[in-house]
Amino acid sequence: MKTVLTESPIEAAEFIRRGGIVAFPTETVYGLGANVFDEQAISKTFAAKNRPNDNPLIAHVGEIEQIKLLVLEISQTANKFIEAFFPAPLTLVLPKSAQVPLIATANLQTIGVRMPKNDLALEFLKECQTPVVAPSANLSGKPSPTTWQAVFEDLDGRIECVLQSGATEIGLESTVLDCTAETPLVLRAGAITLEELQNVEPRTRLYQLRKNEDPKSPGLKHRHYSPRAKVVLHGSKFKVQGSESRAFIGLSEPPGDFDLVKICATVDEYAHSVFEFFRWCDREKIQIIYCETVPQRGIGLALMDRLKRAAES
Ligand code: TXA
Ligand code: MG
């Protein structure tokens, strides 16, 4: 398949309306979109990414009104979050409507819904004239793509079109918030922080996976965000050993010699850069990446979550 590159949201949306799959930018990472009501198109996104089919997708809307097509009802609590944040890097998990095919939700009776805070994404979604399900536009297991070039590296020849834009603003995936029970639960940390959510609904908690329990968010059990290199987490003072090629990313000046170094001025910049840095390390065949840990508050919680997952695998 030839993958068309375009800067036109109108041209890109045309592919969605004809049953194709299209990578598009959001404020978090690039997504790989398909019409939420088109089972065949959705199955193509799973195939293009080699995504396990037990991992549900997030539906993206260009207008708040479209949420009604996707969910059975919007609870009062969910409505508070929508009013406070949308459009935002925030996904709300709600009971799904009958029209949403089960392939989109990996057989769950719930669906994740979000309205991205990115003008080009919103223009594209409006042109699609339907909500669009979109996983991150990377091959499964690789770091999420924050540039169209990273999408192209993974999916050239496997998808119909890439809507080109610059690097994504945030660089980490959206906060996933389960709103199906009394207590809203953060299933995946992101740029909308626990503290901000608690300002709107003080009962909001972080979901803690218990031993021997199936995770509430199936994506949590899959290998994720991993570069080929080994990832090591450390505090601001550490020593390096061995002769492997090595890289550093963090906030302070690292000790010793490194083949690649990225010093970030803020935690936000660190979050924005980390996935692209991992990909750069892979291109340069780096063997070990040393990542400085950050305090687990604000976006630091999301960043540490992704770093820990990368270090696990
Ligand atoms: O920022 C983002 O969320 C990006 C952009 C493209 O919007 N998308 C993204 O999608 O990261 P994906 O498929 O890579 O991750 C979706 C996450 C997974 O961890 C999945 O398990 C969880 O959301 N999820 C989706 N629907 C769910 C549901 N109904 N219940 C629980 N978790 C759900
Ligand atoms: Mg993903």
Side-chain angles (χ1 to χ4, degrees):
M1 179 191 307
K2 167 134 179 48
T3 300
V4 173
L5 297 174
T6 179
E7 292 179 8
S8 159
I10 297 170
E11 187 184 1
E14 186 65 34
F15 284 102
I16 296 282
R17 292 205 301 272
R18 288 204 228 109
I21 58 177
V22 174
F24 64 99
T26 77
E27 80 282 39
T28 58
V29 301
Y30 277 73
L32 177 58
N35 176 348
V36 65
F37 302 116
D38 183 342
E39 297 188 39
Q40 243 185 339
I42 296 173
S43 76
K44 288 200 288 184
T45 64
F46 280 92
K49 280 179 56 89
N50 294 330
R51 182 178 176 102
N53 56 16
D54 63 351
N55 197 357
L57 305 178
I58 293 171
H60 297 66
V61 298
E63 284 155 41
I64 301 269
E65 275 298 294
Q66 289 181 324
I67 298 175
K68 293 195 188 120
L69 303 171
L70 300 167
V71 307
L72 272 186
E73 66 162 353
I74 304 176
S75 63
Q76 265 186 356
T77 313
N79 210 32
K80 281 206 276 181
F81 289 121
I82 291 171
E83 281 181 0
F85 297 109
F86 277 25
L90 174 66
T91 298
L92 302 181
V93 174
L94 297 165
K96 82 169 195 68
S97 68
Q99 301 95 284
V100 172
L102 284 166
I103 184 175
T105 63
N107 288 320
L108 296 177
Q109 290 301 329
T110 57
I111 183 153
V113 179
R114 98 173 184 95
M115 182 174 186
K117 192 177 186 169
N118 172 286
D119 288 344
L120 188 61
L122 291 174
E123 223 181 304
F124 164 72
L125 289 169
K126 280 177 200 152
E127 289 291 336
C128 290
Q129 294 162 8
T130 172
V132 166
V133 275
S136 50
N138 51 295
L139 285 173
S140 219
K142 295 242 260 156
S144 294
T146 58
T147 63
W148 72 260
Q149 290 90 341
V151 174
F152 200 66
E153 183 176 76
D154 279 12
L155 300 179
D156 179 27
R158 301 169 76 93
I159 64 178
E160 269 85 10
C161 176
V162 179
L163 176 57
Q164 295 170 293
S165 184
T168 59
E169 187 190 331
I170 294 168
L172 301 180
E173 306 85 349
S174 63
T175 306
V176 177
L177 183 65
D178 184 348
C179 292
T180 59
E182 283 284 294
T183 306
L185 284 179
V186 175
L187 303 182
R188 180 175 73 182
I192 298 294
T193 64
L194 180 61
E195 297 85 341
E196 287 174 292
L197 295 169
Q198 285 172 336
N199 281 341
V200 173
E201 175 47 68
R203 285 177 302 180
T204 307
R205 296 282 170 270
L206 273 188
Y207 170 66
Q208 304 276 355
L209 182 58
R210 295 202 194 90
K211 260 197 188 151
N212 308 323
E213 191 187 59
D214 268 347
K216 268 190 188 294
S217 187
L220 298 176
K221 67 177 179 235
H222 294 293
R223 194 166 170 265
H224 249 92
Y225 320 114
S226 5
R228 274 193 293 272
K230 184 175 170 204
V231 172
V232 179
L233 308 190
H234 60 79
S236 59
K237 294 212 167 62
F238 67 105
K239 278 202 179 115
V240 292
Q241 289 170 333
S243 57
E244 292 106 331
S245 56
R246 54 178 171 252
F248 169 87
I249 182 164
L251 299 169
S252 38
E253 190 81 35
D257 287 337
F258 289 84
D259 300 275
L260 291 181
V261 173
K262 169 92 191 158
I263 301 171
C264 308
T266 60
V267 177
D268 282 326
E269 189 193 339
Y270 193 171
H272 169 83
S273 321
V274 67
F275 285 151
E276 190 51 35
F277 187 75
F278 283 173
R279 283 179 178 264
W280 186 26
C281 289
D282 278 350
R283 282 179 220 120
E284 299 294 324
K285 308 222 166 15
I286 295 291
Q287 289 165 298
I288 303 192
I289 309 173
Y290 291 85
C291 301
E292 186 177 341
T293 55
V294 300
Q296 300 200 44
R297 55 170 184 266
I299 190 142
L301 184 68
L303 176 58
M304 282 302 295
D305 168 70
R306 308 308 191 273
L307 292 178
K308 285 183 204 161
R309 283 168 202 276
E312 260 165 28
S313 37

